[in-house]
Amino acid sequence: PTLDAIKEKGTFTLMTATGFPPFEYLGADGQPAGVDIDVGKLVADELGVEYEVLDMDFGLLIEALKSGKGDMIGAGMTVTDERAQQVDFTVTYATAGQVLLLPADSTITSAEELKSGDYTVTVQANTTGDIYVQDTLGISSPLQFKNAVECAAALAAGKADAAVIDSVAANTIVKNYEGELKVLDEMVTEENYALAIAKGQEDLVEFVNQVIEKNIENGTIDKLLEEHTAL
Ligand code: ARG
């Protein structure tokens, strides 16, 4: 019945958190753009309804979904057990892992090193990178920002010694900081990204899974990743 409700409503609403290229960022026109934004549009088109995007802080997305502010989260969101208790995830459409983004002249060579030193580590609040830094590295109060773009800016401004953020975003953002920032190859986590839908909407999950599978098979997802990384 969810599908019918969306068709009746006439609009499919995607919720995202920009500042995380290539998945979501603000385009030249100031509007959200990116892989997740385009995938949401593919779903809206298949449903034959209007499309709307709501941009908010990453940490607010799950509550907003639960309270019905939108139909789906597309935010480079990693599937975790804790989140899966609150929302339903679609099939995976991309993979990534946490990496270290560092000042170009940094002597840090591994995440392990952050455990021992007196370092300021910056993270995107409420993300898997935040959880990794606190729980695995044992750094109790990392410098939290809203998104990866803000973490990189803080690092470039000398406010932190390292940022722990998702590999794909780090590799995209670093292009804007040539000679200033670098990414370590070491990936310290393995993560799967999926779209999230409020519990109890199996028909919508099934529908979106079909859209994702089709667009993985026909190469559209790869093409979108390439296109939005090149910016
Ligand atoms: N993959 C990480 C997580 O799920 C970070 C995602 C951040 N996404 C964003 N749109 N700002 O926790």
Side-chain angles (χ1 to χ4, degrees):
T2 313
L3 283 184
D4 294 340
I6 292 173
K7 284 181 188 158
E8 203 156 307
K9 184 166 64 138
T11 311
F12 179 71
T13 305
L14 180 87
M15 296 188 295
T16 195
T18 56
F20 193 70
F23 292 95
E24 41 270 339
Y25 55 92
L26 292 177
D29 60 355
Q31 295 303 310
V35 177
D36 287 324
I37 313 303
D38 288 348
V39 170
K41 175 84 165 84
L42 291 171
V43 174
D45 286 350
E46 295 269 357
L47 285 165
V49 296
E50 295 291 305
Y51 182 46
E52 174 188 59
V53 178
L54 297 181
D55 190 11
M56 63 186 81
D57 289 2
F58 186 80
L60 300 177
L61 288 167
I62 288 185
E63 278 311 315
L65 184 70
K66 283 163 113 184
S67 66
K69 290 209 170 61
D71 301 301
M72 183 168 88
I73 297 172
M77 185 175 273
T78 302
V79 177
T80 67
D81 291 343
E82 207 251 315
R83 289 172 182 162
Q85 284 171 17
Q86 308 186 64
V87 299
D88 282 340
F89 283 108
T90 64
V91 292
T92 295
Y93 64 96
T95 57
Q98 299 301 309
V99 293
L100 261 57
L101 180 66
L102 300 166
D105 60 359
S106 174
T107 57
I108 295 167
T109 56
S110 82
E112 277 293 298
E113 254 177 271
L114 298 176
K115 278 186 178 174
S116 44
D118 187 12
Y119 296 114
T120 300
V121 181
T122 179
V123 297
Q124 308 181 84
N126 301 301
T127 63
T128 46
D130 190 4
I131 294 165
Y132 170 82
V133 166
Q134 296 199 43
D135 294 359
T136 306
L137 296 182
I139 297 171
S140 57
S141 42
L143 182 58
Q144 294 177 323
F145 286 100
K146 246 172 37 187
N147 57 51
V149 166
E150 289 186 9
C151 290
L155 202 57
K159 292 186 188 133
D161 303 298
V164 175
I165 55 180
D166 299 54
S167 51
V168 186
N171 287 316
T172 304
I173 293 170
V174 78
K175 294 180 187 171
N176 295 328
Y177 290 97
E178 221 175 296
E180 278 184 276
L181 300 181
K182 66 181 177 189
V183 179
L184 277 195
D185 285 337
E186 175 194 30
M187 252 200 233
V188 295
T189 60
E190 275 178 32
E191 307 184 18
N192 293 320
Y193 292 171
L195 304 164
I197 289 169
K199 293 250 183 224
Q201 311 192 337
E202 283 73 21
D203 58 341
L204 181 57
V205 174
E206 194 38 51
F207 187 88
V208 175
N209 281 345
Q210 283 171 19
V211 175
I212 295 175
E213 273 155 7
K214 175 169 129 191
N215 287 285
I216 287 176
E217 270 162 40
N218 68 18
T220 302
I221 304 278
D222 275 342
K223 206 189 75 204
L224 290 176
L225 271 164
E226 237 170 75
E227 192 180 302
H228 290 290
T229 306
L231 294 174

